[in-house]
Structure formats: structure tokens, C-alpha cells
Amino acid sequence: MIPVTPADPHASPVEQLVAGLAGNGYAAIPAFLPPVLVRALRREALLRDRRGEFVEAAIGGPGERQRDASIRGDRTCWLNGTTGPQQRLLSLLEDLRVQINRELFLGLFDLEAHFALYPPGGFYRRHLDAFKGNNARVVSMVLYLNTGWTPEDGGQLRLWPDPETRLHVLDVAPRAGTLVCFLSERIPHEVLPARHDRLSIACWFRRNQPDLPLAVLAP
């Protein structure tokens, strides 16, 4: 696995993120979320899952959603901003949206986000989060809520530099507090199987236009 190493250890996490997006189209920032917020979000997600609020994830756009276990195997639950931990998270992400717009002029307008829970062996095949030029999603983010995660647990997020390249450039372990951020239209990615339940929050900064179907790439 390729380690996550900040390009400039003296830069702030947000500066590292902006520089990664501008230079490579992606960035991975360890310990972006404070541990107390990670624990609160994890507790909320697990409670909502026990209550049956998570649903089997699907692929496709509005009116075309379908379940396909050969492509992805997670359960999801959308964030609605009604709890204290969610509100603290959304405040952090709003500050991040403003900073990215200020530095990169991406026209980020709003945010959508959901919890994602992958059971042992669950995966998500290589895909893009957007069709180029035809989707509201501009910047994708994943925040991890898994405490005590080890390399043997698997579940890495694998990134490729562009849709045409077959050699991946980064594997990121889903350790608590880590933020991965990448350009939705440009960076293919895949969730590798894990030995344990794997919990995260998937988010998208969006431009102001309707969503269209997601693009799923062949392995």
C-alpha cells in the first residue's frame, strides 16, 4: 500500500488538500477530523443502522436507480444536518467549500453526504462519481470513522490518476479521521474488500445543476 504523505508538512490540512486537488486532482489528509467528532459520528451511524435506517446502496441516476451486488455492496444513510455531530461536520465542510472556491474557482454550490457501511467482504468496483461535464458532482470526499484499523484489515480506497490509466497511484487505509478528496469527473476509485465492518461518510461538493447517472468503469 502506498502511504499517505502530505506534500508539505508545514502547510495546514486545508492548504495540503487544495494543493493536492490543484496539482494531482486528489489529496489524502490523515487526522482531518478530531477524534471526538469521529467518535460521535460513529456512534450516530451505528445507532441509525441498528434502527434499520440504512438501506442497500444502488447505482444510477434519478429514475434509474438499481441494486447490483456485483458492483457495490454497502448500505447507506443520508445525512440531514439535524444532529449535533452532523452540524459540526457540515460546518467544517462549509469552511472547506469556501476555501476551495476561493483558491480554485470551482463554483462549488452545495453539499450532499451519506454514511456508508460496508460489511466484511463488501466492495465497490472501479468507477467515477460523475460523467465528465454532465453531472452536478465536482469534488468527492470520503471521511473515515474506523478506530483501531490495521493494514491487515484491508478496505483501502484505491485511486487512479485518470480514467484511461490502469496503474493505480494511491491506496488509502480507512483509518479514523482521514479525509480523501478528489475531482469527481476525473479520478476513478474503488473500495477494496475489508475483514471487518468499514464505516465512512461519502460527500460531494456540487455545482448548481441536476444529477445525472454515475459512471461505472470496467475493472
Side-chain angles (χ1 to χ4, degrees):
M1 182 178 66
I2 301 173
V4 177
T5 305
D8 181 357
H10 302 294
S12 71
V14 172
E15 289 171 337
Q16 294 170 23
L17 188 151
V18 169
L21 283 178
N24 301 312
Y26 61 86
I29 310 298
F32 182 85
L33 287 184
V36 64
L37 183 54
V38 169
R39 290 192 295 269
L41 290 165
R42 179 179 175 83
R43 284 194 299 269
E44 178 182 335
L46 294 176
L47 176 60
R48 296 181 71 178
D49 186 47
R50 288 195 296 270
R51 290 174 175 170
E53 298 179 29
F54 278 62
V55 298
E56 298 295 327
I59 61 170
E64 301 178 354
R65 304 291 287 171
Q66 59 179 328
R67 170 72 177 156
D68 189 337
S70 69
I71 293 176
R72 67 184 297 184
D74 56 321
R75 303 192 300 274
T76 62
C77 181
W78 290 95
L79 274 66
N80 54 21
T82 60
T83 68
Q86 286 190 38
Q87 290 168 2
R88 292 194 291 275
L89 172 64
L90 295 177
S91 178
L92 287 174
L93 294 178
E94 173 61 14
D95 291 343
L96 181 58
R97 183 189 69 85
V98 171
Q99 185 68 20
I100 293 175
N101 274 345
R102 181 180 298 125
E103 299 294 334
L104 302 182
F105 307 103
L106 292 181
L108 307 180
F109 180 77
D110 63 6
L111 174 79
E112 58 179 344
H114 63 60
F115 292 112
L117 180 60
Y118 288 81
F123 61 90
Y124 195 163
R125 281 179 51 191
R126 185 178 189 257
H127 65 283
L128 287 170
D129 282 349
F131 286 127
K132 188 172 183 180
N134 291 313
N135 195 286
R137 291 172 176 173
V138 179
V139 175
S140 300
M141 295 168 290
V142 187
L143 293 147
Y144 292 110
L145 308 177
N146 306 295
T147 57
W149 202 265
T150 68
E152 291 75 23
D153 294 327
Q156 296 89 349
L157 179 69
R158 176 163 290 177
L159 303 180
W160 286 262
D162 61 68
E164 305 303 321
T165 302
R166 312 313 298 176
L167 181 65
H168 69 277
V169 292
L170 187 66
D171 281 354
V172 183
R175 297 191 182 98
T178 296
L179 168 65
V180 185
C181 189
F182 50 91
L183 298 178
S184 304
E185 296 177 341
R186 174 179 156 187
I187 304 298
H189 52 287
E190 175 181 7
V191 176
L192 303 181
R195 295 175 56 194
H196 309 290
D197 283 348
R198 177 189 185 276
L199 186 59
S200 62
I201 297 175
C203 318
W204 298 270
F205 286 135
R206 299 156 27 109
R207 62 173 68 94
N208 189 20
Q209 71 180 56
D211 276 335
L212 295 175
L214 304 186
V216 176
L217 305 181

